Amino acid sequence: MRSDPHGSAFDGPDPVATTAAGSGPSASAGPTSDRPGEAHDLARARRQLLAGGSRNHRLDAPSLRHALVDLHEFWLTTKGNELGIRPDSGFAIVAVGGLGRREMLPYSDLDLILLHDDVDPALVSEVADQLWYPLWDAHIKLDHSVRTVPQALQVASTDLTATLGMLEARHIAGDVELSHLLIGGVRRQWRTGIRSRFDELVDQARTRWARSGQIAHRAEPDLKNGRGGLRDVQLLNALSIAQLTDGMPGLGPDAPGGGLALAHRRLLDVRTELHRVAGRSRDQLRAQDADEIGAALRIGDRFDLARTLSDCARTIGYSVDVGLRTAGNSLPRRGLSKLRGIPVRRPIDEGVVEHAGEVVLARDARPKRDPGLVVRVAAASATTGMPISASTLGRLSDSAPELREPWPKGALSDLLVLLGAGSRAIPTIEALDRTGLWGRLLPEWGAVRDLPPRDAVHTWTVDRHLVETVAQAGGMATRVARPDLLLLGALLHDIGKGRGGDHSEVGAELAAQIGGRLGLWPSDITLLTEMVRHHLLLAQTATRRDLDDPATVQMVVDKLGGDALLLELLHALAEADSLATGPGVWGDWKSSLIGELVRRCRLTMAGETLPVPDPIDPMLVDLAADGGVHVALDPGTSPHTYTVTVVAPDTPGLLSHEAGVLALNSLRVLSASLGSHGGAAINSFVVAPRFGSPPQAGLVRQELIRAIGGEIDVLDLLDVKEEEALARQVLEDRTGAAVPVQYSQAPPRVIWFDVTGGDASQGEAIVELRAEDRLGMLSRLARVFERNGADVRWARVSTLGSSVVDAFCISMADGGTRARREQLESAILAVVPAPEPRKDEPAAE
């Protein structure tokens, strides 16, 4: 008598347990004449379905899956009835895996559980043999187990993989009550124990993603295990069964592209055809099979198939992000977390608040009446590092109107804040894109969305490459005089792809169109257009032409029209573009060649334009004659912006007091023009309230008089306010670890320009600061100048997204020696945000 093929893994009287997947005796392991051969008919029917079906007609992918499900269910039901597996027999056949989900693929394993109600082991073994052996003899891959309900529940309580499989179990034949005991018991056990198993579930998913990569950005993706694959859909189903999320978190059927359900079906169709083309079970889509699969599904060639897969995977990936976040927030609280109470809603910006670690709309927000709310929400998400809640994205998608053309200045400023957030902008833009909001802001984005690269050196799809370039450019914002144009150029440099023709020329036309819609000045539109048109010029020239040939340098200078600013922007864009393309694209060799080309072009162009002060309004000159303190607050040229004009005696520390009072009243300085006349300072600030309405001009005047009189120290108050803000912007993950969410993206720079013909003895110079913004930045800088004996004659202050480009014309009492300049520069750098520490470097103590 042959040995028991099932082995034993349980203590107790029942010797039946699980064997390894697909294992079992071959046809030669024992006599086969006494075992029915109907499974050969099952195998033959499977082959006929794959060959084209009974009517010599090739079934499409969904029909093939349905036919395979029906075929296997019919065989199991018939075979079970023959073996006495009936409603009152104490036996039940339960399907898990593909058959359990009704997603049977051509070469998927048949995953079955034979349940029994503590039946005599000898009978169990006999029934199992007569059920499994015909399948093995027919060479049908089988993953099987034989258990009682308590045994199955015991396995589910300790083995997460087994649990996830049993959550998808489905009754096939036999005692339906026995099947329901298992299915109901596993689901109940999963719901009650999810708090202790959630971390393991997340860790398992992340390990799988790290091993298999992202489907959207792999040449040969793993459709089952990769990020955005079929395993992730099963993960969402498990969270839904645990009652932590709904069935389609984030993206329902009304979402752009059809949402999660359609993405799931498309991915299943591709994997079905992959099995059919490969002639065996396969999870990884090989490049040589892509054209055939794309044609079979009527998608197109391999590039069209890659675009479809990217869309599906990113839709599923976004849904998983939302599902895990929602599930984490929905977990039953225990320990000290029960004492924390209801999460507090904290304001971030006008109409935008933080709630439970997510960016949500304020209760009084009116999306239908506030077109700029979408960009404001996105900017808040990117700068704080908190995700936008799925309900907020859904509400904005349903009701937010399109921005009028040209955009209000506030909306453009918020867009620049978003783009300047570095890598934190990537998940925010991805969330906007998956919900249709990004395409509403940039309709031209549709042509590059999920567009696969034609060159193998590219890591990302074209749209993701653009966003990655923006993230890289954020770290270079202080290297250029116009960080706003650098960020916009990075976002649009490949926008012309996917439309035919030279993508640089097509993109330049689109950039001009987009720049006009965004409300850029005509001169800025011209610069942006030329950036897109010539974004490959430096790299191609430096690596393909002789730099020692004067004609090479002159050719570049001529194409750029001798514009030194355009050259500076293209230099930074070339580096950001290369870094965002793929590993090894940017290196010392390429960097040195482009750097040398740029150096020679600058020498040929020769000369830089110095900043100049803005003219003073004659009416303000008349107002300054009375020697009093005057404050006016008027609506700006766009919604949510205001102009604050201050006329006061030019006393030491006045600028620091003015800027500090504005910051204390939650007024962010977008730009400023500072001047003086006849002993009076005449300063104008364009400001935007961080939230709510601005204070009355009279209140600002009273606080300014108190600051001038020494009754309050604005910098001390600013330090307290900044510490409170940073404390609120620290998120706590599930382990309780604090994670800072606001960093500087680029190292600050201080640039000196002599305005007296290089005679440093007169001590007059222009100091230009390029840095990341912070609370009360202008007030802090003004105090630095005061304490270092530098008198500010005039200034031009610009806040471009999250960056500032501030120019101060100063005179220094001691002549502005090199040592005094170095001392002042060090003091300036001490009050601006420090660069974000690299991940491989420890943060400063």
Side-chain angles (χ1 to χ4, degrees):
M1 181 175 179
R2 54 179 165 76
S3 61
D4 180 13
H6 310 290
S8 179
F10 299 96
D11 295 328
D14 192 345
V16 184
T18 307
T19 64
S23 63
S26 64
S28 61
T32 61
S33 59
D34 58 341
R35 295 197 294 269
E38 295 89 343
H40 291 284
D41 297 332
L42 172 62
R44 188 180 305 109
R46 284 171 51 138
R47 290 193 295 269
Q48 290 176 349
L49 286 175
L50 294 178
S54 58
R55 298 182 180 179
N56 198 28
H57 175 71
R58 188 180 189 277
L59 296 176
D60 61 20
S63 299
L64 177 59
R65 290 195 301 275
H66 295 157
L68 288 171
V69 169
D70 291 344
L71 176 65
H72 287 84
E73 284 189 10
F74 176 77
W75 187 90
L76 289 169
T77 302
T78 302
K79 187 64 177 178
N81 188 64
E82 175 188 326
L83 297 177
I85 304 177
R86 300 187 180 92
D88 56 352
S89 63
F91 284 96
I93 301 175
V94 176
V96 294
L99 184 58
R101 296 188 300 271
R102 299 183 187 275
E103 296 174 0
M104 198 69 188
L105 271 63
Y107 293 96
S108 291
D109 291 353
L110 189 58
D111 299 326
L112 300 173
I113 301 175
L114 178 61
L115 281 180
H116 65 93
D117 191 11
D118 203 17
V119 178
D120 179 71
L123 178 58
V124 171
S125 182
E126 180 182 355
V127 171
D129 285 349
Q130 295 185 64
L131 182 60
W132 306 147
Y133 268 100
L135 295 171
W136 286 326
D137 290 345
H139 303 289
I140 294 174
K141 293 182 179 179
L142 178 65
D143 185 358
H144 66 286
S145 62
V146 184
R147 309 186 193 279
T148 63
V149 171
Q151 289 171 344
L153 293 178
Q154 175 62 31
V155 171
S157 67
T158 57
D159 186 336
L160 181 60
T161 302
T163 302
L164 296 177
M166 291 187 206
L167 287 175
E168 301 169 331
R170 187 167 61 86
H171 173 76
I172 299 296
D175 191 337
V176 67
E177 295 299 327
L178 198 60
S179 297
H180 288 172
L181 280 176
L182 171 64
I183 297 170
V186 167
R187 295 189 171 203
R188 184 166 53 254
Q189 186 172 271
W190 176 246
R191 283 192 294 269
T192 57
I194 187 60
R195 181 65 183 84
S196 61
R197 307 189 73 177
F198 184 74
D199 288 349
E200 182 186 1
L201 180 69
V202 174
D203 290 342
Q204 184 188 76
R206 288 175 176 166
T207 300
R208 173 169 51 80
W209 296 335
R211 181 177 63 249
S212 303
Q214 299 187 53
I215 291 176
H217 306 293
R218 285 224 166 177
E220 295 189 334
D222 185 330
L223 303 179
K224 182 178 181 181
N225 299 297
R227 178 161 173 79
L230 296 171
R231 286 289 190 207
D232 285 346
V233 178
Q234 296 166 30
L235 170 63
L236 290 172
N237 182 55
L239 295 176
S240 177
I241 292 173
Q243 299 179 348
L244 298 179
T245 69
D246 59 22
M248 293 183 182
L251 294 176
D254 296 330
L260 177 62
L262 182 58
H264 180 207
R265 289 197 299 273
R266 285 176 172 171
L267 211 56
L268 272 176
D269 290 346
V270 175
R271 189 163 177 244
T272 301
E273 291 300 333
L274 174 60
H275 276 214
R276 184 145 53 180
V277 168
R280 62 185 182 87
S281 178
R282 188 187 293 276
D283 299 327
Q284 188 173 32
L285 174 62
R286 298 181 303 179
Q288 60 264 38
D289 297 330
D291 282 321
E292 185 176 353
I293 292 172
L297 294 174
R298 299 182 180 179
I299 291 175
D301 62 12
R302 60 191 177 96
F303 294 104
D304 297 318
L305 177 62
R307 190 169 194 175
T308 298
L309 287 177
S310 175
D311 177 48
C312 295
R314 290 165 75 173
T315 295
I316 293 171
Y318 169 75
S319 298
V320 168
D321 290 340
V322 173
L324 289 176
R325 191 167 67 244
T326 303
N329 291 335
S330 303
L331 286 174
R333 296 184 178 184
R334 63 183 183 184
L336 294 177
S337 62
K338 292 183 178 180
L339 305 177
R340 293 177 182 173
I342 300 175
V344 179
R345 298 171 68 90
R346 298 186 177 94
I348 302 175
D349 205 336
E350 178 66 27
V352 187
V353 300
E354 171 211 344
H355 178 71
E358 293 182 324
V359 174
V360 302
L361 297 182
R363 291 188 178 94
D364 58 352
R366 298 292 182 267
K368 291 183 179 180
R369 302 179 183 178
D370 190 355
L373 187 57
V374 173
V375 200
R376 229 164 34 251
V377 167
S381 172
T383 53
T384 62
M386 292 182 292
I388 308 171
S389 76
S391 59
T392 293
L393 287 168
R395 186 177 171 192
L396 290 172
S397 181
D398 291 340
S399 56
E402 294 186 7
L403 282 159
R404 61 177 175 82
E405 299 182 16
W407 281 20
K409 289 184 179 179
L412 175 58
S413 177
D414 288 328
L415 176 64
L416 294 174
V417 170
L418 166 63
L419 300 181
S423 59
R424 296 190 303 277
I426 297 174
T428 299
I429 294 176
E430 183 75 4
L432 294 177
D433 194 31
R434 292 301 111 184
T435 51
L437 290 168
W438 189 245
R440 192 178 303 177
L441 297 174
L442 289 175
E444 297 82 0
W445 199 258
V448 297
R449 180 182 292 110
D450 297 304
L451 184 66
R454 298 278 171 163
D455 191 338
V457 74
H458 282 265
T459 299
W460 310 102
T461 57
V462 174
D463 60 329
R464 179 61 181 271
H465 167 70
L466 291 175
V467 179
E468 290 284 341
T469 306
V470 170
Q472 294 290 346
M476 305 170 190
T478 58
R479 284 170 40 180
V480 298
R482 292 297 303 273
D484 54 336
L485 292 181
L486 174 61
L487 293 172
L488 290 173
L491 182 69
L492 302 178
H493 73 278
D494 279 343
I495 197 69
K497 288 188 173 181
R499 301 172 185 268
D502 184 342
H503 80 276
S504 297
E505 292 296 333
V506 174
E509 296 178 5
L510 293 174
Q513 172 183 312
I514 294 169
R517 186 167 67 246
L518 295 180
L520 299 180
W521 287 105
S523 58
D524 291 345
I525 294 175
T526 300
L527 264 176
L528 179 63
T529 301
E530 293 302 298
M531 285 181 67
V532 175
R533 177 176 285 114
H534 297 302
H535 72 274
L536 297 175
L537 176 63
L538 296 182
Q540 290 181 346
T541 303
T543 56
R544 300 177 185 177
R545 302 282 294 268
D546 181 9
L547 299 186
D548 291 328
D549 184 355
T552 298
V553 176
Q554 191 60 50
M555 179 270 294
V556 174
V557 172
D558 291 343
K559 284 194 173 184
L560 302 185
D563 191 332
L565 176 58
L566 177 58
L567 177 66
E568 179 184 67
L569 291 168
L570 287 176
H571 188 191
L573 178 57
E575 182 176 345
D577 187 11
S578 297
L579 290 171
T581 297
V585 177
W586 183 259
D588 293 340
W589 173 75
K590 189 173 184 180
S591 173
S592 62
L593 287 177
I594 293 178
E596 179 62 18
L597 174 61
V598 170
R599 186 186 70 82
R600 297 187 182 199
C601 288
R602 281 176 175 160
L603 290 175
T604 302
M605 293 176 177
E608 294 183 83
T609 303
L610 298 181
V612 296
D614 290 329
I616 299 176
D617 188 338
M619 294 181 60
L620 298 178
V621 172
D622 295 339
L623 190 62
D626 66 3
V629 176
H630 303 274
V631 177
L633 194 152
D634 302 302
T637 57
S638 62
H640 307 296
T641 63
Y642 300 85
T643 301
V644 178
T645 305
V646 181
V647 180
D650 195 358
T651 56
L654 176 63
L655 176 57
S656 179
H657 297 321
E658 291 174 335
V661 167
L662 294 177
L664 288 174
N665 283 277
S666 297
L667 297 175
R668 183 169 181 244
V669 177
L670 303 179
S671 64
S673 177
L674 314 178
S676 61
H677 182 83
I682 303 174
N683 300 332
S684 179
F685 307 87
V686 176
V687 302
R690 294 186 181 273
F691 44 82
S693 301
Q696 296 296 320
L699 176 61
V700 175
R701 178 178 179 273
Q702 290 176 8
E703 292 187 358
L704 178 58
I705 292 174
R706 293 180 63 201
I708 295 173
E711 298 181 33
I712 59 174
D713 188 323
V714 292
L715 287 186
D716 286 346
L717 295 176
L718 282 173
D719 287 339
V720 172
K721 187 170 184 177
E722 187 174 53
E723 288 177 3
E724 293 175 348
L726 289 175
R728 289 196 300 267
Q729 291 177 1
V730 172
L731 304 180
E732 291 188 2
D733 63 14
R734 287 179 284 101
T735 63
V739 182
V741 295
Q742 189 168 11
Y743 308 96
S744 176
Q745 295 302 310
R749 294 184 66 196
V750 176
I751 304 173
W752 293 86
F753 302 94
D754 287 313
V755 295
T756 57
D759 185 0
S761 63
Q762 297 184 29
E764 187 167 304
I766 295 176
V767 182
E768 183 175 274
L769 171 67
R770 302 174 184 176
E772 296 296 310
D773 198 6
R774 72 177 289 194
L775 182 65
M777 170 75 88
L778 183 56
S779 178
R780 300 174 194 277
L781 292 174
R783 184 68 63 88
V784 166
F785 289 129
E786 176 194 349
R787 290 178 174 174
N788 285 270
D791 181 31
V792 179
R793 299 293 182 84
W794 56 264
R796 292 184 62 185
V797 175
S798 299
T799 302
L800 305 171
S802 58
S803 302
V804 297
V805 180
D806 298 345
F808 302 88
C809 181
I810 63 170
S811 63
M812 303 183 74
D814 60 356
T817 62
R818 179 184 294 249
R820 293 287 290 124
R821 288 190 177 191
E822 291 177 352
Q823 180 182 352
L824 178 60
E825 183 172 332
S826 297
I828 291 173
L829 294 176
V831 299
V832 300
E836 178 181 355
R838 289 171 48 184
K839 292 182 179 180
D840 56 348
E841 294 178 353
E845 294 292 339

